[in-house]
């Protein structure tokens, strides 16, 4: 891929099961940029705060991504940077056609709110240990309403992917979040059949299979979201 | 601006003092697209949930932005859509040069985290009424650390703006959040002199002056953030 990266070497610091890291990895595959150096860090050992990462990313988070002299860490920034810089390489993830482009960007930027409702507001409540049942119930209701919105988007789009027949940036950003939720016990069917079908279709996409979180294979996730629907 | 919008009429639904709305308005001005229809909605009267808005935006939020047949609502999606679609109109807000582009995107996408720390986590705690002093103190410490990061970014950039001498998308996305915090009593000086200078410089930019929240003129904001620094 030297032609595409114009001689710049790429290195990704990532954690297994992190939706933001997965997004970047999926985009790299889709853009035909899958040959990069990578370093798997351990969240359990708090390696995001290692000297090596802190020097590159003062927030001490992953993804941390280096291209030659460039460091870019926010997952959406990295994904959009890769799409814009390697536009003609691999799959075009943001369409040129204005209405389609608008829809893809709209869904792409709704995904962080989805992640907040399902993972930050809810999953992380469990991590704090002392679970407030009433708060938990309220957040589960809110996640269910959010899932209903995405179910409607898929139905209206009428294709295999979030905005129709083409796999786009919106899928790269949204799918990893959905997959983490499923790993945490979220049952999409029977309440959300479109999301169920979408999950299965995208799970089989080569870029997604190749970047599937390695530690998920053969292990079970915590069942934090098993009674949302 | 008919040439730039290719005959598509634009209409923005917005609320005064909303940082996400302000971002879109600043970008429209910078891109020379300042002639659009707009409808000011009232948060106090809960007008974001009006039938007119709900039909366009099922989340019932502003900004809600219509261009011809296109509806795009997430503020970052809208700003990036406008920059990409009207690239050669007005100010170029995302540079073509790769290292600069990466830096602008990185800062642009760090801004939502800054907003979360200052406004969502903290400002909104007050709205709930029953303030937990310990939680409040913790969140203020976290906001102060976040402000220190941005102070460092400005110092390293060494120009008038977040990434150097050029006003970019990062400023359009970041500045309105900073301005809302200042309105809420945040004193940038003497702790953060670079941010203080930045605030003054950007405040005087024509696109920012023209889009300054009208209800701020001649009124005082709540002083929620007056003892952060």
């Amino acid at each position: 891929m030297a032609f595409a990266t114009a001689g710049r070497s790429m290195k990704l610091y990532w954690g297994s099961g992190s939706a933001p890291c997965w997004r970047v990895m999926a985009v790299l595959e889709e853009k035909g940029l899958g040959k990069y150096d990578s370093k798997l860090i351990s969240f359990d050992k708090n390696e995001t705060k290692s000297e090596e990462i802190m020097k590159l990313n003062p927030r001490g988070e992953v993804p941390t991504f280096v291209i030659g002299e460039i460091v870019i860490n926010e997952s959406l920034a990295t994904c959009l940077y890769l799409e814009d810089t390697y536009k003609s390489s691999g799959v075009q993830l943001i369409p040129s056609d204005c209405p389609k482009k608008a829809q893809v960007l709209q869904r792409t930027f709704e995904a962080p709110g989805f992640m907040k409702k399902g993972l930050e507001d809810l999953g992380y409540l469990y991590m704090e240990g002392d679970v407030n049942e009433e708060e938990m119930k309220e957040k589960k209701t809110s996640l269910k309403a959010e899932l209903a919105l995405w179910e409607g988007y898929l139905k209206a789009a009428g294709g295999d992917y979030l905005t129709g027949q083409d796999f786009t940036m919106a899928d790269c950003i949204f799918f990893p979040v959905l997959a983490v939720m499923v790993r945490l016990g979220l049952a999409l069917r029977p309440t959300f059949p479109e999301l169920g079908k979408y999950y299965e279709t995208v799970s089989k996409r080569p870029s997604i299979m190749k970047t599937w979180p390695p530690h998920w294979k053969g292990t079970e996730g915590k069942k934090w979201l098993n009674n949302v629907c």
Side-chain angles (χ1 to χ4, degrees), chain A:
Chain A
M1 291 300 114
F3 80 96
T5 62
R8 289 190 171 109
S9 65
M10 294 182 175
K11 180 165 185 176
L12 178 70
Y13 296 82
W14 64 289
S16 178
S18 146
C21 292
W22 197 355
R23 291 167 173 165
V24 175
M25 295 165 87
V27 168
L28 284 163
E29 293 301 326
E30 293 289 340
K31 299 305 291 175
L33 301 167
K35 290 194 175 130
Y36 53 89
D37 289 333
S38 71
K39 182 163 181 174
L40 175 62
I41 64 89
S42 157
F43 292 115
D44 290 343
K45 294 185 192 154
N46 207 25
E47 288 177 357
T48 53
K49 307 299 177 197
S50 70
E51 204 184 318
E52 186 178 6
I53 294 202
M54 291 299 288
K55 249 171 46 188
L56 297 164
N57 182 352
R59 296 186 183 275
E61 292 170 352
V62 285
T64 286
F65 188 57
V66 185
I67 315 176
E69 300 300 300
I70 295 168
V71 183
I72 185 164
N73 304 319
E74 292 293 322
S75 68
L76 272 85
T78 309
C79 293
L80 292 171
Y81 175 84
L82 290 168
E83 172 61 15
D84 190 75
T85 306
Y86 307 104
K87 219 182 286 282
S88 57
S89 171
V91 174
Q92 184 177 356
L93 295 171
I94 299 180
S96 312
D97 169 65
C98 284
K100 272 282 169 205
K101 174 170 66 184
Q103 204 190 12
V104 167
L105 288 172
Q106 173 64 19
R107 296 291 172 259
T108 298
F109 286 89
E110 281 183 77
F114 174 58
M115 178 155 157
K116 183 175 183 299
K117 283 197 179 139
L119 301 180
E120 288 155 42
D121 287 358
L122 232 169
Y124 298 162
L125 264 188
Y126 285 99
M127 289 193 200
E128 292 181 7
D130 193 17
V131 172
N132 173 333
E133 287 302 330
E134 202 182 323
E135 193 181 353
M136 194 61 86
K137 203 178 148 191
E138 197 183 288
K139 303 246 184 252
K140 284 188 175 174
T141 304
S142 161
L143 175 57
K144 198 174 170 184
E146 178 74 22
L147 285 160
L149 263 182
W150 292 91
E151 177 78 5
Y153 294 159
L154 278 165
K155 208 167 177 179
D160 280 345
Y161 303 109
L162 274 178
T163 60
Q165 277 310 335
D166 296 322
F167 181 88
T168 71
M169 185 60 83
D171 301 294
C172 290
I173 304 300
F174 174 82
F175 177 80
V177 182
L178 183 68
V180 173
M181 289 185 196
V182 170
R183 166 84 180 174
L184 294 175
L186 181 70
L188 297 170
R189 288 194 164 109
T191 316
F192 300 118
E194 295 287 337
L195 278 165
K197 187 161 70 86
Y198 173 80
Y199 175 79
E200 279 160 26
T201 304
V202 181
S203 294
K204 290 178 198 131
R205 197 171 168 91
S207 68
I208 296 296
M209 288 171 74
K210 190 174 162 197
T211 54
W212 201 263
H215 86 278
W216 286 7
K217 289 162 195 162
T219 64
E220 287 261 322
K222 297 202 174 11
K223 294 300 169 218
W224 287 340
L225 304 181
N226 66 352
N227 55 356
V228 168
C229 299

